[in-house]
Amino acid sequence: MTGTRIRVGICGYGNLGAGAAREIEKFPDLELVAVFSRRPVEIAQDVPVVRLEEAGAWKDRIDVMVLCGGSATDLPEQGPQFARDFCTVDSFDNHAEIPSYLAAVDEAARAGGRTSIISAGWDPGLFSLMRVMMGAVLPEGMTQTFWGKGVSQGHSSAIRALDGVVDAVQYTVPDHRVMNQARSGEPLEFTAGERHTRLCFVVAAEGADTGRIEREIKEMPNYFAGYNTEVHFISAEDLLTNHSRLPHGGSVIHSGKTGEENVHLMELLLKLDSNPEFTASILLAYARAVYRLHAQGEVGARTVFDIPPVFLAASSRDTLITDLL
Amino acid sequence: MTGTRIRVGICGYGNLGAGAAREIEKFPDLELVAVFSRRPVEIAQDVPVVRLEEAGAWKDRIDVMVLCGGSATDLPEQGPQFARDFCTVDSFDNHAEIPSYLAAVDEAARAGGRTSIISAGWDPGLFSLMRVMMGAVLPEGMTQTFWGKGVSQGHSSAIRALDGVVDAVQYTVPDHRVMNQARSGEPLEFTAGERHTRLCFVVAAEGADTGRIEREIKEMPNYFAGYNTEVHFISAEDLLTNHSRLPHGGSVIHSGKTGEENVHLMELLLKLDSNPEFTASILLAYARAVYRLHAQGEVGARTVFDIPPVFLAASSRDTLITDLL
């Protein structure tokens, strides 16, 4: 398929970018042409590593830029900046900031005549899609989202930023009793804090006050306050040996009613060995979609809600209809 | 919202049509204006029942016609016929015939300048969507669909058509051992017959040869041959008391790999107390979508693969982005 493949650039080479660079070979119509990075990085693929400042020179050689930076500081800046010169996809996951981020990327994309899809991971992303579809189909019902068991990289970083902490891993663990209640159709609404426990494994610096660290974790607003939080201090070796993988998963559970008393359960369940590799794979499917959207003349920023599913698949519409409908 | 609501007609008043007529009140932007039926029917709603032949006179009074006839004989005729004069949605479920049915509806819709969405139930429909999305996101993987435990109305009818059968109900039952194997990521492919058992409850006519009936069921091509089929003869009273509800459900299970050895499970699970009411609810969400598609100037027949999810929801795009992304 060389020559007709969609030319992809990857911007950022952390866990997510490295995952995208590895997984792209499973997408027969996509081709990695360059990796863009702030710092020099060693990569396994035989493509150039380009300094971020020089990305502009690549704007005619790349069809879609996959933005793999973090949502805290990288994407708020890079999203709008790249959207002017490139079609982009990203997994921006700061829920509260999504509307303003979307507006900024949309404005840049329109100014440059390009197309972007934002927040296209699994949550936000696939889970968001399911929340919309489940609620549309069974309006008399309730949707609840459970995350885990899995490593939350944002929460792990928040712990690492505390004084006296050398390293840390935080697992989000859903409460299975509450999950089963959500599945049963009981009209109970739980806060995120009631649905989840936060389990923290922390390596403290020698001589650090572990009582103070534990308190600071448990009281951290937005991240841990309001959650049942457990803190365990362990050795650096234990952390490396037993907590260095990045599994994740979760469920979107919608329980709805029809007629007088008929109850229906819809659930999307994910169990992921590698959160970054799975998220990277979703981004690549949406990279294909944004290319097609742009080829149809659409301009501006979109979300997963706006994309016809046919755009995600490698196969033609006719093949999908014959084989999968 | 009166006055701005989408004016809906329901064509056919069996289990599915009656379900749609009941559930429409949960869709605040939809309004039932008439039921169309071949035969006179008693309906609970305060709207006219119109004979099918007179439907043409309603073409300016209805925005979307929800076709609730059967896939064996009703829809192949009614689908293309109504698609010329009305925007339509249906749950046509004869998988092998979908491409030719789509072509016929598309031609009629284009001739009449209308818009249709076909095969918008749960399978085909939501399950088809999941098969496309899961395969797009994890291309190195395998998708398998399991149905049940639930009543298959097509299979029940096929048994009822046999000589000496007074009534019958057929349950499709998935093999949980095989389901768990599909979830585990083992690259095993099973035939539909290996994945499911067919459990038949049959009321035989007095003096009928039950041995012959059992043989005819088990050897029926497409329906039962190749499946592990159990036949139980019971009384008419037992059938009425214990087998008159229409529950169903199932799972789409996709197990895929990333990297060298990371395994990911994606599963959409449905547990439905009432198959017709749930299917009717999906049809109503897609009725909303076809109305919006048509309002944007799109003409012709579409499938669930072609519809941006935002079109299914009652809420505005901005609200969905703020609340659910």
Side-chain angles (χ1 to χ4, degrees), chain A residues 92-159:
Chain A
F92 183 78
D93 69 359
N94 186 339
H95 286 266
E97 300 297 326
I98 284 175
S100 61
Y101 180 71
L102 177 63
V105 175
D106 187 58
E107 191 188 336
R110 288 181 193 279
R114 306 281 179 164
T115 319
S116 292
I117 301 176
I118 69 151
S119 301
W122 61 273
D123 199 353
L126 296 187
F127 271 18
S128 323
L129 257 188
M130 296 314 298
R131 288 189 285 262
V132 165
M133 299 200 59
M134 291 170 173
V137 158
L138 287 177
E140 186 182 341
M142 188 182 293
T143 312
Q144 300 195 63
T145 305
F146 295 84
W147 298 279
K149 183 183 174 179
V151 173
S152 167
Q153 298 182 257
H155 288 77
S156 303
S157 301
I159 301 175

Side-chain angles (χ1 to χ4, degrees), chain A residues 23 26 140 258-259 267 277, chain B residues 23 26 140 258-259 269 277:
Chain A
E23 295 312 310
K26 299 189 180 128
E140 186 182 341
T258 62
E267 176 170 355
E277 285 178 357
Chain B
E23 295 312 311
K26 298 189 181 128
E140 186 181 341
T258 61
L269 178 144
E277 285 179 356

Side-chain angles (χ1 to χ4, degrees), chain A residues 23 26-27 95 98-99 102 119 123-124 126 128-134 136-140 245 257-259 261-274 277-278 281-282 285-286 288 301-310 312-313 317 320-322 324-325, chain B residues 23 26-27 95 98-99 102 119 123-124 126 128-134 136-140 245 257-259 261-274 277-278 281-282 285-286 288 301-310 312-313 317 320-322 324-325:
Chain A
E23 295 312 310
K26 299 189 180 128
F27 293 73
H95 286 266
I98 284 175
L102 177 63
S119 301
D123 199 353
L126 296 187
S128 323
L129 257 188
M130 296 314 298
R131 288 189 285 262
V132 165
M133 299 200 59
M134 291 170 173
V137 158
L138 287 177
E140 186 182 341
R245 296 184 74 196
K257 257 192 191 172
T258 62
E261 52 174 19
N262 288 320
V263 174
H264 308 279
L265 167 67
M266 309 177 77
E267 176 170 355
L268 178 72
L269 178 143
L270 297 180
K271 279 190 192 162
L272 313 173
D273 271 0
S274 163
E277 285 178 357
F278 183 68
S281 297
I282 302 174
Y286 278 97
R288 173 187 287 148
R302 301 287 187 278
T303 71
V304 294
F305 300 155
D306 304 307
I307 311 302
V310 67
L312 297 171
R317 178 173 182 263
L320 297 179
I321 288 170
T322 304
L324 299 179
L325 190 62
Chain B
E23 295 312 311
K26 298 189 181 128
F27 293 73
H95 285 265
I98 283 174
L102 177 64
S119 300
D123 198 354
L126 296 187
S128 323
L129 257 188
M130 296 314 298
R131 289 189 285 263
V132 165
M133 299 199 59
M134 291 170 174
V137 158
L138 287 176
E140 186 181 341
R245 295 182 76 194
K257 257 193 191 169
T258 61
E261 53 173 18
N262 288 321
V263 174
H264 308 279
L265 167 67
M266 309 177 76
E267 177 171 356
L268 179 72
L269 178 144
L270 297 180
K271 279 189 190 164
L272 312 173
D273 272 359
S274 163
E277 285 179 356
F278 183 69
S281 298
I282 303 174
Y286 278 98
R288 172 186 286 149
R302 301 286 187 278
T303 70
V304 294
F305 300 155
D306 304 307
I307 312 303
V310 66
L312 297 171
R317 177 174 184 263
L320 297 178
I321 288 169
T322 304
L324 300 179
L325 191 59

Side-chain angles (χ1 to χ4, degrees), chain B residues 230-245:
Chain B
E230 282 180 31
V231 179
H232 302 276
F233 291 93
I234 63 174
S235 70
E237 196 192 345
D238 187 353
L239 194 85
L240 185 69
T241 311
N242 298 315
H243 304 286
S244 63
R245 295 182 76 194

